[in-house]
Amino acid sequence: MFDWETEKAELLKKIEELMERKRYAQLREMLLPMEAADIALLMEELPEETMPLLFRLLPKELAAEVFVELDSDEQELLISGFSNTELKEVLDELYLDDTVDIVEEMPANVVKRILKHTDPDVRKSINEILKYPEDSAGSIMTTEFVDLKRDMTVEDAFKRIRRTGPDKETINVSYVIDEGRHLIGLVSIRTLLLAEEDDVIEDIMQTNFVSVSTLDDQELAARSLSKYGFLALPVVDTENRLVGIVTVDDAMDVLQEEVTEDIEKMAAITPSDKPYLKTGIVETFKARIPWLLLLMISATFTGQIISSFENALEAFAVLTAYIPMLMDTGGNCGSQASVTVIRGISLSEIEFSDLLRVIWKEIRVSVLCGVVLAAANFVKLILVDHLLFQNPAVTPLVAAVICLTLVCTVLCAKLVGCTLPMLAKKLGFDPAVMASPFITTIVDAISLLIYFQFAHMLLHIG
């Protein structure tokens, strides 16, 4: 197994040495046993001028696999250096969905050249897939699958698989269609191998299957593949006609993109489809500054609350010292609840109908957490702040104000953290938007209002 992390530097050094000495045959032999993804990672680390030469050393099939694994910038660089013949050879080796991905990421002049050197049938399929909405199952499917007729025998099925299989992305599952290309069943290669040659496909096919529509969200297709452990998922149109399949490798890409997008939204960053090191400074700035401005402006409400209780703070200045602790604890509790609920929503474990169950659970959790935190804080205030540091302002009554505020803040924070993502989902927004920064700002204001309310009731200030 190729260990990228430990062997990268050594391999890069060896590649550069062999290229300098023009030992191309030896370099080719070194690359052949490697996985395409690892070769792509190595090529991205090498100087740009060496990439085309290294790429041309690879066999056509391996070269196409490496090409798919490269980032769009490297792909564009190679395409610009390809002759028309080389470009056509690479395109002929690519699966349709990979070609569509490349077309979507390339600038117009490169796309025009790619389509010009693509077979007419493939070009037609590319254009059909590009018509589907972005982020739909139709946009990530491939039309390269094996279809069978219900009246075929197992022997006929194997003949068709041998004849058409080399050009298909997968032959592990074949899809049974009728005369109108409606999907009526599927049969695995294992079932075919274990059946008799004269068995009829209709008698051995599986009629209880899962499919998605071309207009379904791509994340639904990806999660269906993950849920059922399929290697491919059939895609049908509005009339249940089989038009393509979504394979597990595309599903993994979708899930990775969705997770990355959620993480960026939860960190208050506008999502980007570019790797961090390949995103320009201005682009990174534009992705971050809108949220920072919004959160900064919303945080001014916290300042206004503190200003409105300025007299109370003057009378009991010691209360000021514990504001950061209360706000941070509330923000942390809200973040815990929101992240847990957002994760549950993304995995389809939590629906809006579960709102009351979620709230009831978070209430019980928050009571336990709040009591433990308040008890620990009360002991710390009396033993450390009052006795050890001999701070006379920290009286048992002041400690009670702080600890009661802590209990209520934890309760409110967890309720806000669990309900906002679910409400956002119900209203059609991405739940990830209601994550840590946004919830922390809300909880900060709530914790201050609770704090000064208890100070007013118990200390008679404000």
Side-chain angles (χ1 to χ4, degrees):
M1 180 179 177
F2 173 59
D3 188 342
W4 168 253
E5 292 299 329
T6 58
E7 297 185 30
K8 179 182 72 170
E10 182 179 342
L11 283 168
L12 288 171
K13 183 178 179 181
K14 190 171 183 179
I15 289 173
E16 290 175 350
E17 180 183 341
L18 290 174
M19 293 190 76
E20 287 178 4
R21 297 167 58 190
K22 298 184 179 181
R23 298 289 182 88
Y24 300 129
Q26 189 177 344
L27 179 56
R28 176 188 167 95
E29 292 300 317
M30 187 186 81
L31 295 174
L32 286 180
M34 293 185 185
E35 294 292 333
D38 295 327
I39 297 175
L41 288 173
L42 286 170
M43 290 178 66
E44 289 173 356
E45 294 288 327
L46 292 168
E48 290 185 355
E49 60 271 14
T50 65
M51 190 181 298
L53 176 58
L54 195 65
F55 186 85
R56 289 184 174 98
L57 292 175
L58 303 173
K60 285 194 299 184
E61 186 175 342
L62 179 58
E65 293 176 6
V66 170
F67 186 81
V68 171
E69 298 293 338
L70 292 170
D71 287 337
S72 57
D73 290 343
E74 281 74 25
Q75 289 176 342
E76 185 178 353
L77 176 68
L78 286 175
I79 291 174
S80 64
F82 284 162
S83 65
N84 292 337
T85 303
E86 288 175 323
L87 178 58
K88 181 167 176 52
E89 287 178 351
V90 171
L91 293 174
D92 287 344
E93 293 293 332
L94 296 180
Y95 291 118
L96 179 64
D97 54 340
D98 293 326
T99 306
V100 172
D101 290 340
I102 293 168
V103 167
E104 288 180 325
E105 295 178 1
M106 292 294 117
N109 62 317
V110 177
V111 171
K112 185 176 180 181
R113 187 174 175 221
I114 289 174
L115 294 178
K116 181 180 178 181
H117 293 90
T118 304
D119 291 335
D121 291 341
V122 175
R123 190 182 311 125
K124 180 181 177 182
S125 297
I126 291 173
N127 290 327
E128 288 176 355
I129 292 177
L130 290 175
K131 290 178 183 177
Y132 291 109
E134 187 179 2
D135 297 335
S136 66
S139 68
I140 62 168
M141 72 179 183
T142 179
T143 58
E144 296 168 324
F145 56 87
V146 177
D147 55 49
L148 304 174
K149 297 296 177 62
R150 69 171 83 193
D151 56 352
M152 283 182 173
T153 64
V154 170
E155 183 179 7
D156 294 333
F158 275 124
K159 287 180 180 178
R160 178 165 177 77
I161 292 171
R162 292 189 188 99
R163 186 174 68 253
T164 64
D167 297 326
K168 308 304 180 185
E169 187 155 351
T170 179
I171 60 170
N172 291 313
V173 176
S174 298
Y175 301 90
V176 186
I177 56 176
D178 61 15
E179 292 73 14
R181 296 198 62 80
H182 299 102
L183 181 62
I184 58 175
L186 53 86
V187 58
S188 67
I189 196 72
R190 182 177 186 272
T191 300
L192 291 173
L193 286 170
L194 296 177
E196 299 295 332
E197 289 187 350
D198 56 353
D199 285 345
V200 179
I201 295 299
E202 187 174 18
D203 297 333
I204 63 173
M205 71 180 183
Q206 180 181 341
T207 55
N208 183 22
F209 52 84
V210 178
S211 64
V212 292
S213 167
T214 52
L215 301 180
D216 285 339
D217 192 281
Q218 63 178 9
E219 190 174 359
L220 173 63
R223 297 208 178 280
S224 296
L225 280 165
S226 174
K227 178 180 179 180
Y228 297 108
F230 296 154
L231 295 177
L233 189 69
V235 182
V236 297
D237 62 14
T238 54
E239 298 180 6
N240 197 42
R241 289 178 299 210
L242 182 64
V243 292
I245 60 172
V246 175
T247 53
V248 68
D249 57 327
D250 293 315
M252 291 175 65
D253 291 339
V254 169
L255 293 177
Q256 182 178 341
E257 290 171 4
E258 294 293 338
V259 169
T260 302
E261 182 178 319
D262 286 347
I263 290 173
E264 289 177 329
K265 287 182 178 178
M266 291 169 70
I269 300 173
T270 304
S272 171
D273 57 357
K274 290 185 178 181
Y276 173 76
L277 293 176
K278 294 190 176 182
T279 305
I281 295 174
V282 175
E283 289 179 84
T284 304
F285 160 76
K286 289 180 179 178
R288 297 181 183 182
I289 197 61
W291 284 100
L292 291 176
L293 287 171
L294 176 62
L295 293 172
M296 181 189 70
I297 293 171
S298 61
T300 58
F301 292 108
T302 305
Q304 290 178 349
I305 294 173
I306 295 176
S307 297
S308 64
F309 289 94
E310 191 172 349
N311 293 333
L313 292 174
E314 287 179 0
F316 279 85
V318 68
L319 296 177
T320 307
Y322 300 100
I323 289 177
M325 181 272 294
L326 292 170
M327 293 170 64
D328 287 348
T329 302
N332 292 336
C333 291
S335 297
Q336 286 181 336
S338 67
V339 169
T340 304
V341 170
I342 290 170
R343 182 62 176 162
I345 292 173
S346 67
L347 295 176
S348 300
E349 297 173 348
I350 299 175
E351 302 291 341
F352 187 76
S353 57
D354 300 317
L355 180 61
L356 293 180
R357 292 175 59 195
V358 172
I359 290 176
W360 176 231
K361 178 177 181 177
E362 289 298 332
I363 288 175
R364 289 176 288 172
V365 171
S366 62
V367 169
L368 293 173
C369 291
V371 169
V372 171
L373 290 172
N377 201 43
F378 188 85
V379 172
K380 182 260 181 186
L381 288 168
I382 299 302
L383 295 182
V384 179
D385 295 27
H386 182 69
L387 296 178
L388 183 60
F389 292 155
Q390 298 182 348
N391 187 347
V394 183
T395 63
L397 203 56
V398 169
V401 169
I402 296 169
C403 293
L404 287 172
T405 301
L406 198 56
V407 173
C408 293
T409 296
V410 171
L411 174 62
C412 292
K414 288 195 176 293
L415 289 178
V416 170
C418 73
T419 55
L420 281 185
M422 298 184 71
L423 291 173
K425 179 68 174 179
K426 181 65 175 178
L427 295 172
F429 297 105
D430 192 330
V433 174
M434 300 296 179
S436 302
F438 193 76
I439 287 176
T440 298
T441 303
I442 296 175
V443 171
D444 286 349
I446 293 174
S447 64
L448 286 174
L449 291 173
I450 295 172
Y451 192 28
F452 291 122
Q453 189 61 39
F454 275 119
H456 173 72
M457 291 189 301
L458 299 181
L459 302 176
H460 307 291
I461 61 173

